[in-house]
């Protein structure tokens, strides 16, 4: 926020230089990021008068101007279209210096010699408008230094206000703070109103249909005024803080906004249907042409100011064109109101509008300042535009202010700060901040009433912060805090999270953390039908942006987005996982669920110049999941009892995916990313994913190590090659072999899958190794061969598979 140093001194007595003041404000928690000395870079620019304009042949937009500085006439080539004869303008003569180190020299343009330049606001460094030449107020002295004519020799402090300090978003609010810090005398603006004529209640009506969004609305009426240019003092003050002057009425509302921090809006009274104001939420589809010449379309969540028949303004943000104050306006209805911060913030974000008004309403204005600001504006409008102020004010105030009262303990404050500030000094600090302080229980406690403009103060700890920053952080002794070490907390979920992270990183995966807040287009890039349970999203009531307006229902789209970004930026392959929460609608509050998900693509191992590592495939990902579950003591139950079923997960390719079942309960899924999504996201290699219900996993885990006796007798292996239907999974074959072979089958390892010309359509070839081992003796070849033959016959009979090749040689 821009604070004029000289304007500030009108409301508070102090003698500090700008750098000294900046330091004191920063130490009190109001960071001054920059000190701008306006006009310091401008030299040899004076007030000039345009005597004549002559178009330059074959140059549509250029004119040759004859400009006088009162002593000499200069020929200037200018391309602006907003100037006319007798306009007073900034004239930069040859040799002039402008902001940025720019020097003006004689130039030849389209055959005409230009002896200088006419300047815009941006070229002078007094604003951002570069669309035309800055027209100076009538009466500006010809030949006068532009720095004096525009009061460019001004110092502006750039203050970075935190969102909770809306009370300082004004010149007077900052003066109030400076008074508290330095102890200087505060001088509020003097307000004297002279009302006359008919009562305002006979001229207009106000109705609030949304009291939860509009806590207070006041209206005053000024009749028979004359709209025109603002006086130079008002123009200069507005330009100093970066605002563009419009006309005397509108400029007064902007002046009061900067002076007192309360936004106002002036309506052309005669253009309001039935002279009525209605504060209501929009009907979906309603439209309004706003002052920025944008046609806005509203939803039922947008708060409007309407008359008897149509919207006339977007509450707390921007007015409408149809009821704006123009040169022909004679009667004005002045609005001063309080709109709920969350409503204004939500609408401003939705529509992409950022105004001085919305900036303040979003942070919360002073509800008790509504009448003060209205009176101040009426006073200035009458002074500058004449007119008659109707008697009284319409004040609809359904939720009157009640001050917050806090019981404050100076002893606890000192304990928190590590200080030794007396109760008397604390009371004086709070009084300087204009809190109402009273003694309670002697000096042990203070009763503190919070002023209406400090909506950031509601608890004793807030008062502790106020005392610390006014007392001086540099005065509080530094020291190490006392830390009490408590016993370790046995949290099963946190223990599992750490354990899973350790296992997966040892297996070569990297953890990522993505946002829980996502866009409504979260699933759109997948270009695939989304199951209904994932469509039921939880909306954020007041999101910071549309991109963060929903709570996610799956981790996988976020992981795929991370994968795509990295692949597009040259990363050859990735193995990533995330442990996070997903959210689904609930009765009172959203339902949360912990999920573990992973995405893998590329090579199984890092490639070197002499090595071509095998690409990640289904069995590699399955091996990672098996290894993880094995570390948790889950695998034996899954394999031995329930086996592995085909997955129906919407992101998995049918036939190259598995549903992980434990104790007849669905634990998760793994497999190849469905080809449609892979094509949509332009993945060149096959992508594999897994997703596990972390809460169920936590219930099943057994992190305590289990020790099993190993056999001291040698093992024997037999290879077997099978031709099986494509729909038959290795998990089903695994279970059947274990059941037929009993305790002598130690393990079954799949080492090849084949699809080719030698295999008939609809079939696939599988090759696996069966490990035989006894805990009691050394197995003989006859025993192993007999058992192996039994297993083969069982497979052929029960699963209808064909045995292509088997190794009956002992190993």
């Amino acid at each position: 926020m821009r604070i004029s140093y000289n304007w500030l001194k009108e409301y508070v007595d102090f003698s500090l230089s700008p750098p000294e003041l900046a330091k004191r404000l920063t130490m009190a928690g109001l960071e001054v990021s920059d000190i701008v000395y306006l006009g310091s870079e401008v030299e040899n620019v004076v007030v000039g008068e345009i005597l004549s304009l002559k178009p330059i042949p074959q140059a549509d937009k250029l004119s040759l101007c004859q400009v006088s500085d009162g002593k000499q006439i200069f020929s200037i080539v200018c391309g602006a279209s907003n100037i006319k004869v007798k306009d007073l303008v900034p004239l930069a003569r040859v040799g002039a210096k402008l902001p940025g180190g720019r020097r003006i020299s004689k130039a030849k343009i389209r055959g005409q010699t230009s002896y200088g330049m006419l300047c815009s606001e941006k070229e002078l460094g007094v604003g951002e408008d570069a669309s035309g030449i800055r027209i100076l107020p009538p009466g500006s002295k010809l030949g006068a230094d532009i720095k004096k004519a525009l009061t460019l020799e001004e110092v502006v402090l750039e203050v970075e206000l935190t969102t909770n300090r809306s009370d300082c978003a004004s010149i007077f609010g900052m003066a109030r703070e400076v008074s508290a810090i330095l102890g200087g005398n505060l001088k509020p603006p003097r307000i004297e109103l002279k009302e006359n004529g008919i009562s305002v209640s006979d001229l207009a009506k106000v109705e609030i249909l949304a009291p939860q969004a509009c806590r207070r609305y006041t209206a005053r009426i000024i009749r028979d005024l004359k709209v025109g240019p603002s006086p130079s003092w008002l123009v200069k003050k507005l330009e100093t803080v970066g605002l563009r002057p419009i006309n005397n009425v509108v400029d007064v509302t902007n002046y009061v906004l900067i002076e007192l921090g309360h936004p106002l809006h002036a309506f052309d009274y005669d253009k309001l249907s039935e002279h009525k104001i209605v504060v209501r939420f929009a009907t979906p589809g309603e439209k309004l042409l706003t002052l920025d010449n944008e046609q806005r379309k509203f939803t039922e969540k947008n708060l409007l100011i309407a008359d008897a028949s149509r919207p006339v303004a977007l509450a707390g943000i921007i007015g409408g064109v149809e009821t704006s104050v123009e040169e022909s306006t004679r009667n004005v209805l002045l609005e001063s109101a309080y709109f709920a911060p969350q409503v204004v913030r939500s609408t401003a974000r939705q529509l992409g509008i950022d105004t001085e008004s919305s900036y303040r309403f979003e942070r919360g204005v002073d509800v008790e300042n509504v009448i003060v600001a209205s009176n101040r504006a009426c006073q200035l409008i009458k002074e500058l535009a004449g007119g008659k102020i109707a008697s009284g004010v319409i004040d609809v105030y359904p939720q009157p202010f009640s001050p917050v009262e806090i019981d404050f303990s100076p002893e606890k404050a000192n304990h928190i700060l590590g200080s030794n500030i007396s109760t008397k000094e604390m009371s004086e600090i709070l009084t300087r901040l204009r809190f109402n302080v009273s003694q309670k229980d002697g000096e042990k406690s203070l009763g503190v009433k919070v002023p209406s403009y400090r909506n950031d103060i509601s608890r004793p700890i807030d008062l502790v912060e106020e005392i610390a920053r006014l007392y001086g952080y540099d005065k509080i002794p530094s020291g190490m805090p006392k830390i009490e070490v408590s016993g370790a907390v046995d949290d099963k979920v946190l223990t599992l999270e750490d354990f899973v992270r350790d296992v997966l990183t040892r297996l070569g995966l990297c953890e990522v953390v993505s946002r829980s807040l996502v866009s409504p287009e979260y699933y759109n890039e997948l270009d695939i039908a989304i199951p209904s349970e994932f469509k039921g999203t939880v909306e954020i009531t007041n999101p910071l942006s549309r991109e963060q307006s929903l709570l996610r229902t799956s981790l996988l789209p976020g992981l795929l987005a991370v994968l795509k970004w990295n692949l597009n930026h040259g990363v050859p392959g990735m193995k990533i996982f995330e442990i996070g929460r997903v959210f689904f609608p609930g009765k009172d509050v959203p339902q949360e669920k912990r999920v573990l998900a992973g995405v893998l693509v590329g090579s199984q191992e890092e490639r070197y110049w002499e090595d071509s590592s095998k690409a990640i495939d289904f069995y590699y990902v399955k091996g990672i999941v098996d290894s993880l579950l094995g570390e948790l003591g889950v695998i034996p139950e899954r394999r031995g009892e329930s086996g592995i079923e085909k997955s129906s997960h919407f992101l998995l390719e049918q036939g190259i995916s598995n549903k992980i079942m434990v104790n007849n309960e669905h634990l998760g899924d793994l497999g190849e990313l469905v080809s449609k999504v892979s094509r949509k996201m332009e993945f060149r290699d096959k992508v594999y994913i897994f997703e596990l219900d972390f809460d169920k996993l936590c219930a099943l885990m057994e992190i305590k190590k289990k020790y099993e006796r190993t056999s001291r007798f040698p093992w024997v292996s037999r290879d077997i090659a099978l031709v099986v239907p494509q729909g038959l999974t290795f998990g089903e074959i695994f279970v059947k072999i274990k059941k037929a072979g009993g305790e002598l089958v130690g393990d079954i390892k799949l080492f090849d899958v084949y699809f080719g010309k030698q295999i008939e359509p609809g079939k696939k070839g599988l090759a696996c190794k069966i490990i035989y081992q006894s805990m009691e003796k050394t197995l003989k070849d006859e025993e192993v061969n007999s058992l192996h033959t039994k297993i083969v016959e069982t497979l052929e009979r029960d699963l209808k598979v064909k045995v292509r090749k088997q190794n009956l040689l002992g190993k």
Side-chain angles (χ1 to χ4, degrees), residues 399-424:
Q399 303 175 47
F401 170 75
S402 179
V404 174
E405 297 187 26
I406 301 173
D407 289 332
F408 180 70
S409 168
E411 183 181 353
K412 288 183 180 179
N414 277 322
H415 177 73
I416 292 169
L417 295 174
S419 59
N420 190 27
I421 307 170
S422 68
T423 301
K424 180 181 178 182

Side-chain angles (χ1 to χ4, degrees), residues 32 287-288 330 358 376 429 595 608 656 693 735:
V32 178
K287 296 180 180 180
L288 173 67
R330 291 293 173 265
S358 66
R376 176 64 166 161
I429 289 172
V595 173
Y608 298 95
I656 316 178
D693 187 321
V735 172

Side-chain angles (χ1 to χ4, degrees), residues 600-602 604 614-626 638-639 644-647 652-660 668-673 686-690 726 728-732 750 752-753 755 764 766:
L600 301 91
V601 68
Q604 295 183 11
K614 187 179 179 181
I616 290 172
D617 57 16
F618 171 82
Y619 299 101
Y620 180 80
V621 178
K622 179 178 177 297
I624 286 176
V625 175
D626 282 350
R638 177 176 64 81
R639 284 184 168 177
I644 305 176
E645 299 181 9
K646 297 176 186 178
S647 173
L652 290 175
E653 189 73 30
Q654 295 300 314
I656 316 178
S657 60
N658 281 162
K659 179 186 289 186
I660 304 169
D669 303 270
L670 65 92
E672 182 183 327
L673 178 66
K686 290 185 177 181
V687 177
Y688 295 89
I689 62 178
F690 65 85
Q726 285 193 10
L728 185 66
T729 66
F730 174 67
E732 294 172 271
L750 179 69
D752 192 24
V753 180
F755 299 89
K764 62 183 176 182
L766 299 180

Side-chain angles (χ1 to χ4, degrees), residues 47-287:
V47 176
E49 181 183 8
I50 298 176
L51 303 178
S52 67
L53 287 171
K54 182 180 178 182
I56 297 176
Q58 298 180 344
D60 295 340
K61 296 182 179 180
L62 297 180
S63 299
L64 183 63
C65 311
Q66 298 299 314
V67 185
S68 171
D69 65 357
K71 295 181 180 179
Q72 188 177 351
I73 297 175
F74 300 85
S75 293
I76 307 289
V77 176
C78 182
S81 60
N82 69 318
I83 54 175
K84 62 183 184 296
V85 174
K86 294 189 178 180
D87 275 347
L88 298 177
V89 294
L91 169 62
R93 298 174 294 197
V94 173
K97 180 183 174 183
L98 296 178
R102 183 180 180 184
R103 287 282 182 180
I104 302 302
S105 59
K106 183 172 68 172
K108 196 149 191 173
I109 305 171
R110 292 295 179 93
Q112 302 292 330
T113 302
S114 183
Y115 295 89
M117 185 178 81
L118 305 184
C119 303
S120 68
E121 286 184 1
K122 191 167 186 178
E123 288 162 337
L124 290 172
V126 298
E128 293 300 319
D129 188 1
S131 61
I133 301 303
R134 171 72 166 91
I135 307 301
L136 303 176
S140 298
K141 186 179 179 181
L142 206 60
D145 190 327
I146 200 68
K147 289 188 285 189
K148 292 184 178 179
L150 292 179
T151 321
L152 293 185
E153 293 180 312
E154 172 66 276
V155 181
V156 173
L157 305 181
E158 293 279 1
V159 183
E160 300 293 332
L161 290 182
T162 52
T163 54
N164 64 317
R165 292 307 306 272
S166 60
D167 60 298
C168 290
S170 65
I171 300 294
F172 184 71
M174 195 62 70
R176 189 167 50 206
E177 191 72 10
V178 171
S179 172
I181 296 169
L182 303 178
N185 182 41
L186 186 66
K187 300 176 287 186
R190 196 170 184 179
I191 303 174
E192 294 180 356
L193 273 189
K194 293 182 179 179
E195 301 175 340
N196 52 46
I198 194 168
S199 171
V200 68
S201 300
D202 296 329
L203 297 172
K205 301 294 180 184
V206 173
E207 185 178 8
I208 299 179
L209 299 182
Q212 73 278 21
C214 178
R215 188 172 171 184
R216 189 177 191 182
Y217 193 100
T218 69
R220 279 190 176 275
I221 293 175
I222 305 101
R223 296 179 298 148
D224 300 327
L225 52 73
K226 184 178 180 180
V227 177
S230 294
S232 59
W233 69 265
L234 178 53
V235 170
K236 292 171 186 176
K237 286 195 171 181
L238 293 180
E239 287 180 339
T240 297
V241 294
L243 295 182
R244 180 173 59 89
I246 299 171
N247 60 53
N248 50 7
V249 175
V250 175
D251 291 349
V252 163
T253 63
N254 287 332
Y255 176 88
V256 174
L257 177 144
I258 298 299
E259 180 189 47
L260 299 180
H262 199 95
L264 305 167
H265 188 72
F267 297 97
D268 188 321
Y269 170 80
D270 298 313
K271 295 177 182 177
L272 293 173
S273 176
E274 298 182 18
H275 300 150
K276 185 176 183 180
I277 290 291
V278 181
V279 185
R280 60 173 175 82
F281 282 105
T283 301
E286 274 191 293
K287 296 180 180 180

Side-chain angles (χ1 to χ4, degrees), residues 67 149 163 287 296 397 475 652 681 771:
V67 185
T163 54
K287 296 180 180 180
R296 308 284 183 181
Y397 198 1
K475 295 181 182 178
L652 290 175
M681 301 191 79
I771 306 297

Side-chain angles (χ1 to χ4, degrees), residues 64 107 123 147 180 212 285 355 366 374 386 486-487 518 589 633 658 662 719 740:
L64 183 63
E123 288 162 337
K147 289 188 285 189
Q212 73 278 21
T355 63
D366 179 7
S374 179
S486 58
V518 298
V589 295
N658 281 162
V662 178
D719 293 345

